Amino acid sequence: GSFVKDYFIDLLLCGSTIVEAKTVRELLLAHHGQGINYLLLAGTHHGSLINFRPSRVDRKFLSTTLTYSMRRKFRISDDWPDDERHHLVRDSVNTFCADVGLGFDLPLYREAFAHLAHCPRQLVPILSGTKTIGHQELTTISDDTACAVTSLDDLDDYRHHLRRLLSNTSLSAISWINLRLGHIQLQQIKKK
């Protein structure tokens, strides 16, 4: 579609090994996710994260066995409303995941789905009773429905988290996309 995102691999050795160089206090999960994205995009399986900032150079090995064809095989479990906006998001999810596959870091999917389905980011008031106590930036499908994108094995804890968030907003629902290798789950959490 019209979604474009640039990635810049620091070093690709012999077309098969990624080296991602950092100068940070410590290597974080986000750096690891970025490195895995690069492996998947380059169609390779091995690489390294190297941090030059500490007094002793820190190196972490990156590895994946996922292939392009493995990442593109999935089924969708759908328990979403049957309206035009949800159809657009569902189609965007299906099309994008069929094209690039699963297994990338979540920010890529969040950006792509929001762009392709024309879902804006909005500041949603967080309420305590009737008093606004803060704001949370959320991607919204409609004026009263937010969208969450996760990649979780255990959905029960996060479902509880979404219900708590929902109960402290004026939203009526959160439409939830959970991406796991081989399975995309679409469900909606409604305000009780």
Side-chain angles (χ1 to χ4, degrees):
S2 60
F3 179 73
V4 176
K5 183 167 179 75
D6 292 326
Y7 285 99
F8 300 95
I9 297 171
D10 289 339
L11 190 59
L12 178 61
L13 302 172
C14 301
S16 66
T17 301
I18 301 287
V19 176
E20 183 63 19
K22 298 292 180 193
T23 56
V24 293
R25 185 173 311 209
E26 64 181 299
L27 293 172
L28 303 172
L29 281 176
H31 300 125
H32 184 267
Q34 178 187 25
I36 295 295
N37 279 356
Y38 292 166
L39 293 179
L40 298 177
L41 288 167
T44 188
H45 299 283
H46 305 292
S48 293
L49 281 174
I50 301 175
N51 188 7
F52 292 102
R53 184 171 177 185
S55 58
R56 185 171 175 200
V57 174
D58 184 19
R59 178 180 173 264
K60 302 284 185 205
F61 185 65
L62 296 170
S63 180
T64 184
T65 58
L66 293 175
T67 64
Y68 182 61
S69 62
M70 289 169 62
R71 292 184 294 108
R72 292 178 61 225
K73 291 178 185 172
F74 59 86
R75 64 186 170 86
I76 296 180
S77 299
D78 185 351
D79 186 21
W80 263 17
D82 189 23
D83 62 60
E84 186 177 332
R85 292 294 298 147
H86 281 86
H87 282 286
L88 179 59
V89 175
R90 180 187 302 114
D91 291 346
S92 298
V93 168
N94 188 37
T95 301
F96 187 76
C97 293
D99 184 23
V100 304
L102 298 170
F104 287 103
D105 210 19
L106 279 175
L108 173 66
Y109 297 101
R110 288 178 178 136
E111 288 176 44
F113 301 160
H115 173 81
L116 294 169
H118 312 289
C119 295
R121 303 262 316 154
Q122 295 183 20
L123 285 176
V124 175
I126 303 298
L127 307 171
S128 177
T130 58
K131 182 179 179 188
T132 299
I133 58 172
H135 291 82
Q136 178 69 42
E137 188 176 27
L138 299 171
T139 300
T140 56
I141 292 177
S142 65
D143 290 339
D144 67 343
T145 305
C147 183
V149 180
T150 60
S151 179
L152 302 169
D153 289 321
D154 181 9
L155 303 183
D156 290 335
D157 282 345
Y158 199 72
R159 185 178 294 110
H160 177 72
H161 169 76
L162 289 177
R163 287 190 193 288
R164 287 183 59 213
L165 173 64
L166 190 57
S167 70
N168 290 297
T169 69
S170 61
L171 297 170
S172 63
I174 298 177
S175 296
W176 181 15
I177 303 165
N178 192 63
L179 307 170
R180 298 299 299 158
L181 287 175
H183 187 207
I184 299 172
Q185 192 168 354
L186 308 176
Q187 59 183 285
Q188 188 173 67
I189 309 297
K190 293 182 181 177
K191 190 174 273 184
K192 291 182 177 182

